[in-house]
Amino acid sequence: MQQADVSIHSFDEDGFLRLADLCATTYPGKEISEEEYLAWEYRSNIDGRALIYVAENETGLIAQYIVLPRKYSINNVLINGSLSVNTLTHSSFRGNNLFPQLAEETFKRCRVQNINFTLGFPNPISLPVIQRKKLFETIGELSLTIKPLNPFRSLYKYLTGKREKTGSEIEMDFTSLHQKNTDVSELNLKEDKILYDEFLTAFNLEKQNVTFRSGEFLNWRYNDIPGRKYYLFKLMEDGSMTGLAVFRAKYIYGLRCGILIDFCSLKKANKLSELLNKLQLVSKINNLDLIFSAAPSHSHEFSCLLENGYYKLPAKFLPQKLSLIIRKHLPDCPSQVTDFNKWFLTFGDYDIF
């Protein structure tokens, strides 16, 4: 497909250096400007290789649109979906309608590969274009919750510290978590495979629309990713696993932040407060300033966060809205995928956290 001197085509190269170089024009020094990270995300994705379309002229790549194939459990039936990631146009070529053209070509490929729908969490730059061009339907917003651990110090550091949005990883010491008998412990995806599989089966039965968090998916998403460190925990009650938490710590706007990436539980769980309290205690020992998380306000996980001292951050204080967008590709795609009240989503469903 041609537009003047611009060619729009699929990107099928084995290496991702050219994509990394394109990303470096907008995000120098960031993960998506590193070929190793892109190889993990695009090639090693447990649910299939990324679908990538690019715009190119005589100078090289000038825009990209990418979706990652992903399995979703919809009413406990596994179907093929995808996640929109890393949308980018070189600053010199913005306003030329490249993003919508790339997206439409990608959506054609999704239909060919039997991908039912694409989800996305757009940034403030992409969202106006998406809405104006009607590329996706905006169906709802996740709620951001925050747990201050030292409010006065956090405010002082925010006002006087570095203005860089994101910084380096923070190594966490979880020794104190194991000093006493507890129902909260680290999740080992190999040793705890049976426990986790039983938890996942029950979890998918309870949730109507949810990412299929298989053990293989968790291992790829949290253990194999280059440059990041995640900590996985399980909650045990009466010999079975009833809760999952995934934690990460890094500097954000100069603050030492804990991010509760995933917080998933069964409805029968009675000790979710213990899980949250243990993570809070360890966060204080590691001198973190705050913890934040995201969940749909209709979920019982969100209610549990509020009951344990987390506060819902008003929309006017959000760096950006946590909007969920969706595009259906196939005529027999379940209609309920566009019902936000049926979705359970966390930061773990993004790719940037």
Side-chain angles (χ1 to χ4, degrees):
M1 181 176 180
Q2 300 289 330
Q3 176 183 323
D5 59 345
V6 176
S7 171
I8 292 177
H9 59 86
S10 63
F11 183 90
D12 300 315
E13 299 172 18
D14 289 335
F16 302 103
L17 180 59
R18 292 211 299 151
L19 293 177
D21 289 344
L22 171 61
C23 292
T25 63
T26 301
Y27 300 107
K30 302 301 182 182
E31 292 171 321
I32 62 171
S33 302
E34 299 172 0
E35 188 175 16
E36 180 187 11
Y37 178 85
L38 297 185
W40 164 82
E41 187 171 31
Y42 299 161
R43 184 189 298 134
S44 301
N45 175 31
I46 196 69
D47 292 323
R49 187 172 174 129
L51 308 185
I52 306 172
Y53 275 80
V54 295
E56 186 169 10
N57 66 9
E58 68 280 359
T59 67
L61 300 181
I62 59 175
Q64 64 179 32
Y65 184 74
I66 299 150
V67 301
L68 299 179
R70 186 159 290 184
K71 297 288 186 183
Y72 292 91
S73 175
I74 308 298
N75 277 342
N76 201 35
V77 175
L78 292 186
I79 70 170
N80 297 322
S82 63
L83 177 68
S84 178
V85 301
N86 303 342
T87 300
L88 187 147
T89 299
H90 190 288
S91 59
S92 299
F93 298 93
R94 290 171 189 163
N96 291 313
N97 206 41
L98 294 175
F99 166 33
Q101 292 183 73
L102 289 169
E104 289 295 348
E105 291 301 311
T106 309
F107 298 155
K108 291 178 185 177
R109 180 88 167 270
C110 286
R111 290 192 285 273
V112 170
Q113 294 194 196
N114 200 37
I115 292 175
N116 286 267
F117 61 88
T118 296
L119 293 183
F121 302 91
N123 62 34
I125 297 175
S126 299
L127 186 56
V129 179
I130 287 168
Q131 293 174 332
R132 186 172 65 252
K133 298 292 185 178
K134 298 181 180 179
L135 296 174
F136 287 80
E137 178 183 355
T138 303
I139 63 172
E141 295 176 5
L142 296 187
S143 296
L144 181 69
T145 60
I146 187 168
K147 173 74 173 182
L149 301 178
N150 193 320
F152 296 109
R153 186 180 67 192
S154 297
L155 179 61
Y156 175 78
K157 290 173 68 174
Y158 178 75
L159 294 175
T160 63
K162 296 179 180 179
R163 310 316 301 160
E164 184 179 11
K165 184 176 180 181
T166 60
S168 59
E169 298 282 315
I170 298 173
E171 286 287 335
M172 296 285 287
D173 181 0
F174 285 97
T175 304
S176 60
L177 193 71
H178 313 297
Q179 290 178 346
K180 297 181 180 179
N181 291 330
T182 176
D183 294 316
V184 179
S185 60
E186 292 186 47
L187 174 66
N188 185 304
L189 291 170
K190 289 184 178 179
E191 296 176 3
D192 298 324
K193 176 176 170 48
I194 294 175
L195 281 173
Y196 181 73
D197 287 348
E198 290 174 348
F199 166 80
L200 182 63
T201 297
F203 181 73
N204 287 339
L205 280 170
E206 292 185 1
K207 303 296 186 185
Q208 293 172 297
N209 299 351
V210 66
T211 298
F212 182 58
R213 289 167 165 80
S214 67
E216 293 78 10
F217 173 80
L218 293 190
N219 190 59
W220 168 77
R221 174 71 173 84
Y222 297 124
N223 292 335
D224 291 345
I225 186 171
R228 299 187 192 177
K229 176 63 177 177
Y230 293 99
Y231 304 89
L232 283 65
F233 301 96
K234 63 181 183 292
L235 173 65
M236 297 293 296
E237 299 182 61
D238 299 322
S240 64
M241 182 175 168
T242 60
L244 165 72
V246 179
F247 197 83
R248 184 186 181 196
K250 65 179 302 184
Y251 285 96
I252 301 177
Y253 291 121
L255 299 174
R256 292 175 61 87
C257 295
I259 312 171
L260 189 54
I261 300 289
D262 251 345
F263 177 52
C264 311
S265 71
L266 304 182
K267 291 179 181 178
K268 70 176 184 179
N270 294 315
K271 297 184 177 181
L272 290 176
S273 294
E274 179 179 339
L275 175 57
L276 293 174
N277 289 337
K278 290 291 184 182
L279 292 177
Q280 177 182 329
L281 176 61
V282 173
S283 296
K284 286 185 175 180
I285 292 173
N286 283 268
N287 204 31
L288 298 188
D289 296 311
L290 56 88
I291 306 171
F292 64 91
S293 188
S297 58
H298 55 262
S299 67
H300 71 267
E301 287 89 348
F302 176 80
S303 297
C304 183
L305 289 169
L306 296 186
E307 291 168 1
N308 284 272
Y310 283 72
Y311 299 93
K312 180 181 176 180
L313 200 63
K316 64 181 179 180
F317 294 121
L318 292 175
Q320 68 181 62
K321 292 183 179 180
L322 305 180
S323 301
L324 174 66
I325 57 175
I326 187 166
R327 168 75 176 244
K328 294 170 66 175
H329 304 308
L330 301 180
D332 57 349
C333 176
S335 60
Q336 73 180 58
V337 300
T338 58
D339 186 347
F340 182 73
N341 290 325
K342 296 184 185 298
W343 276 100
F344 176 77
L345 298 155
T346 69
F347 281 143
D349 295 286
Y350 286 63
D351 67 316
I352 62 173
F353 290 100

